[in-house]
Each structure stands twice: as C-alpha cells, then as structure tokens.
Amino acid sequence: MEQSNGVTPTEQLPPINRITQLEQDAPLLSLMTKIRDASTSHRDFCSAVDRIAQRLITLALTHVPSEPQTIKTPTGATYMGIRHTKDVCGVSVLRAGASMEHALRNTWMGPLSFGHILIQRDEQTSKAQLYYSKLPRHIKDNVVLLLEPMLATGGSVIKAVQTLKDHDVPENSIVLVNVVASKKGLDVVSTTFPELRIVSAAVDSDLTAENPGVGDFGDRYYGT
C-alpha cells in the first residue's frame, strides 16, 4: 500500500549493478518508521539510526575482500574460515556521516582508520563545493566506506567520491553507506561512477522539501 509520503515500504532498487538494499523486513521498517516520524524524540531518533547503521555497515563490509584461513579451535579441531585481505577506512561526509562511525567501530574487527570530508552547496552556483578534507595517508590501499546518510540530488556524494579518487582510491574500493536515497540521486551517482558500490536502507521516489525523507538528518541526530 502506498504511504502518504509517497514511499512504498517494499519499493525495490532500480536494476543498477553494484547497488544493494537492506532486506525490507519488519524490524527495519519499524526503525525507518521511527526516523521518518516527525514526532520521534531526539533520543529515539538516534537509537533507531544507530540500529539501522549497524545493519548497513554489516552489509557494506561484505565488500571487503577475503581469503581462506585455517585455524585450530580450543578443542583441537580444524576450522576453515577466512581472513580479510584489506583494511577499512570510514570517511564521513560531515556532519551527518559521522553518525555512523560508532557502528563501524563496533562492527569491524580489523585495522580501522577514519577520514572526514566537508562539502557544502555554493549559494550562488548551487554546486557542491569541497571546503575541507582530512584523509589517512594510506587510504588508497583500503576499502573505503563513504558514510553519507542522505542521497538526494547526488551532488555532494559525487564531490566526495571524486575527492577520494583524487587521493588515488580506486573507484571499486569505495562503498557508499546510505540510509535514505532518492531514485534520481542513485541514478546520477551510479551513472557517474559505474564501479562504485552502494548500500542503502531505503529508496524514495524523490527527496524534496515536500518529501524530505527524514527531515534534516544532522539536526535531528545532533539535536540542533
């Protein structure tokens, strides 16, 4: 059934390679209802976002390459497992992206570093402008999880991905971790960067002032 905000809970992603969406099960839809509800308190909004981020990060980490590893268990048995062959770097698009750093710290067991990118829209040109970036020295050797909860037109994400590529990060080593995306934004970003991986929790037909998805994500998460 179509919801009043124009979003269908079971709406599927467009058939674009390298884009995956969380399973639209009841626990996730309950959390998404919480963060979309204007009456949700600041504390409950943060709690729901943290749980969604945990699921997103878990799925995003499946893109980290691995190889077989054989170990001995405490009982002396042999176990055929795996070991990851690349480290992970989380890069937050400030300020909303930093809301997912805690989930990444709690989920990834291997070497982990963080970087930050600040992008804002120029008031005169309406184009996304890079104002600040601080990235680890060896980021090009890592799988980079680009943390950006909202994807509307795609301008900020395109600028962020290009910044990573300018630091020699291979496009296919970047995973965009996203809470709510618009179909238009997904199409623009995936067309611009066909090797980019994208993991999203929800896809809306559009994100506008009339249908803002969750509202101002940063304001609601940080209580400002």
Side-chain angles (χ1 to χ4, degrees):
M1 179 180 294
E2 190 79 1
Q3 295 180 331
S4 60
N5 62 1
V7 181
T8 305
T10 57
E11 189 171 30
Q12 298 299 307
L13 286 164
I16 304 174
N17 293 332
R18 298 183 180 273
I19 300 178
T20 53
Q21 185 178 9
L22 292 179
E23 182 181 351
Q24 301 297 290
D25 54 26
L28 177 65
L29 294 178
S30 175
L31 293 169
M32 295 304 299
T33 301
K34 280 285 187 185
I35 68 171
R36 290 182 187 274
D37 190 344
S39 68
T40 297
S41 68
H42 169 242
R43 180 177 181 179
D44 286 348
F45 180 86
C46 292
S47 181
V49 167
D50 291 346
R51 285 163 173 77
I52 295 168
Q54 193 81 37
R55 290 184 59 168
L56 284 168
I57 295 294
T58 299
L59 182 56
L61 289 174
T62 62
H63 291 294
V64 181
S66 62
E67 63 184 14
Q69 182 182 24
T70 303
I71 56 96
K72 289 288 186 181
T73 71
T75 62
T78 299
Y79 177 78
M80 294 291 294
I82 66 165
R83 61 178 294 274
H84 290 103
T85 57
K86 279 197 171 185
D87 298 342
V88 170
C89 176
V91 175
S92 300
V93 180
L94 299 174
R95 65 180 165 157
S99 65
M100 293 191 276
E101 291 182 3
H102 182 68
L104 179 52
R105 287 190 180 95
N106 283 347
T107 306
W108 177 247
M109 297 289 291
L112 178 63
S113 57
F114 285 93
H116 296 95
I117 294 175
L118 176 61
I119 296 171
Q120 294 182 343
R121 192 173 301 277
D122 187 283
E123 294 183 358
Q124 293 184 339
T125 66
S126 296
K127 293 184 178 179
Q129 298 292 327
L130 176 67
Y131 283 87
Y132 171 83
S133 69
K134 182 68 174 179
L135 304 172
R137 188 185 315 171
H138 302 297
I139 190 172
K140 64 183 179 65
D141 300 319
N142 299 160
V143 171
V144 177
L145 269 55
L146 182 61
L147 310 177
E148 172 58 293
M150 303 299 292
L151 171 58
T153 63
S156 295
V157 169
I158 288 174
K159 194 68 175 179
V161 173
Q162 189 57 57
T163 299
L164 294 174
K165 293 184 66 173
D166 290 343
H167 284 76
D168 299 322
V169 179
E171 188 175 308
N172 61 6
S173 291
I174 304 171
V175 185
L176 172 64
V177 185
N178 165 256
V179 177
V180 180
S182 72
K183 283 187 174 182
K184 178 181 179 180
L186 280 176
D187 184 53
V188 169
V189 170
S190 60
T191 300
T192 306
F193 302 112
E195 294 184 87
L196 175 71
R197 324 289 180 93
I198 302 175
V199 176
S200 186
V203 181
D204 288 8
S205 57
D206 199 6
L207 291 176
T208 64
E210 292 72 30
N211 178 33
V214 302
D216 190 304
F217 192 99
D219 283 353
R220 295 189 69 191
Y221 190 86
Y222 293 109
T224 56

